[in-house]
Amino acid sequence: ARAGTQSAFSWGNEPATGFAVCDECGSEWDGSQTAPVGALQPNPWGLYDMAGNVSEWVADCYASDYSSAPVNGSAYQGDGCGDRVMRGGSWFDIMRLMRPAARYRHPANASQNDWGFRVALDLPEEFTKENHE
């Protein structure tokens, strides 16, 4: 979501209008509904809606820390996984939850109108930015 940046958000360390939809992000949709896909600025890799709009369910089981997390980027699948991780924040959430490092949990069978998911595909190693510029 930060697209290789070292800042709190892909656009920098401070909240800025035009990059996310949340309860205090400065968009016309804040606190009321999702924005149309691609209505705001993309991150440096050209991906839209990586902060705000809808919170994204991820495949990881929730754990209190990263000590058991896989180091290869795969999802953490712990025993007795009752809660899944949510990331990215939504139109309903405060700005702090827009940070890619922010995460929270919900039972896997829960639902809410500001939650969604992103379909992702693992690309073969030979398909990298360096090989396709």
Side-chain angles (χ1 to χ4, degrees):
R2 284 196 300 255
T5 66
Q6 298 299 311
S7 52
F9 307 99
S10 67
W11 60 85
N13 286 316
E14 300 299 324
T17 303
F19 293 93
V21 177
C22 72
D23 191 37
E24 54 191 7
C25 287
S27 83
E28 63 187 273
W29 304 281
D30 286 7
S32 62
Q33 68 182 55
T34 59
V37 173
L40 301 172
Q41 298 295 314
N43 72 14
W45 290 347
L47 299 175
Y48 288 87
D49 307 319
M50 296 302 293
N53 225 13
V54 296
S55 296
E56 295 176 354
W57 284 106
V58 297
D60 295 87
C61 294
Y62 184 82
S64 60
D65 60 42
Y66 290 105
S67 62
S68 298
V71 295
N72 65 359
S74 63
Y76 171 65
Q77 299 296 315
D79 293 332
C81 180
D83 291 334
R84 296 290 176 158
V85 175
M86 304 289 291
R87 290 202 180 262
S90 78
W91 57 265
F92 181 77
D93 294 317
I94 59 175
M95 176 56 90
R96 179 179 58 82
L97 295 178
M98 299 309 106
R99 291 184 58 235
R103 65 191 183 101
Y104 49 106
R105 65 181 177 208
H106 285 285
N109 63 353
S111 64
Q112 194 166 302
N113 68 352
D114 64 331
W115 298 348
F117 61 92
R118 182 178 298 264
V119 177
L121 173 68
D122 288 331
L123 296 174
E125 193 171 316
E126 65 268 10
F127 189 84
T128 63
K129 183 179 178 185
E130 294 79 28
N131 293 334
H132 293 88
E133 288 186 344

